[in-house]
Amino acid sequence: MISAADTTRFTRRRHRFLRFAQRFLVMSGTLALCYVAATLIYARIYQEAANNSLEQQMHAEEHHPASFIRPAVKEGDLLGRIDIPRLKIGVAILEGTSSQTLRLGVGHIEGTALPGEPGNMGIAGHRDTYFRPLKDIRQNDDIQIQTPTGLAKYKVDWIQITAPGDGGIVAVTSNSSLTLVTCYPFYYVGSAPERYVVHVHRL
C-alpha cells in the first residue's frame, strides 16, 4: 500500500522533473534559434563581401584584361554570381558543394564546366535557402552568370524531378549550358528523396 507521504514525494519529484524538462527544452530551443539566426546573419554578411570582391575583380579585369589569370580553384573560392531576375535570386557562386560552402552561397559542382568555359556547368544550392525560389521557375526565364571576365546570359529550357543518383543530371555536353540542382520536395522534412533539376541553355 502506498502511503500519503510516498505519493507526495512522487508528486514532488515529478514536478521537479517536469520543470527541469521544460527549462531544458526552452534553453535548447533558444540555442537552436540563436544558431540559425547567427548562421543567416553571417551568410548575409558574406554575400555582401562576395559582391564587393566580385566588383573589384571585374574592375581589375576591365582595366588590366591581359593580366587576369584564373588560378586553380579550391573549395569555397568565389567564382561569380548567379542572378535570376524574375525570382529575385542574386547569390554568389562558390567552388564546391560542402556543407560549409552551401551555407554561404550556391556551389559549382566539381567536374562540370567552370563559369565562362564551354560545356555544361552544374550549380547546386539548398532548397531551404538560396534555391528555394526555384520552385517557381518557368520555361524561358532569364538567368545571368556574372564573372570577373564577363556576363553570360541563359534561358531556361525545362525542369525535371529525378533520383539523387541520376548520373545524367550534369552530363558533359559540347554546348554551353547550365544545370541547377536542389533537393525536392521543397517543403519535405528531413533528407529529401529526390532532386529538382533545371536545364538551361546559353544565349
Side-chain angles (χ1 to χ4, degrees), residues 89-132:
I89 291 178
V91 59
I93 303 170
L94 310 178
E95 174 60 26
T97 55
S98 69
S99 297
Q100 173 64 21
T101 296
L102 294 185
R103 278 197 293 268
L104 298 177
V106 296
H108 167 254
I109 299 173
E110 185 179 1
T112 67
L114 286 164
E117 292 182 348
N120 183 19
M121 173 172 54
I123 297 178
H126 282 318
R127 63 189 161 110
D128 52 0
T129 55
Y130 301 110
F131 270 180
R132 172 61 64 84

Side-chain angles (χ1 to χ4, degrees), residues 10-26:
F10 175 77
T11 301
R12 287 175 178 170
R13 289 194 191 105
R14 186 178 66 179
H15 286 165
R16 283 198 296 270
F17 174 78
L18 290 175
R19 284 197 297 271
F20 171 79
Q22 183 182 37
R23 289 170 182 168
F24 176 78
L25 290 174
V26 169

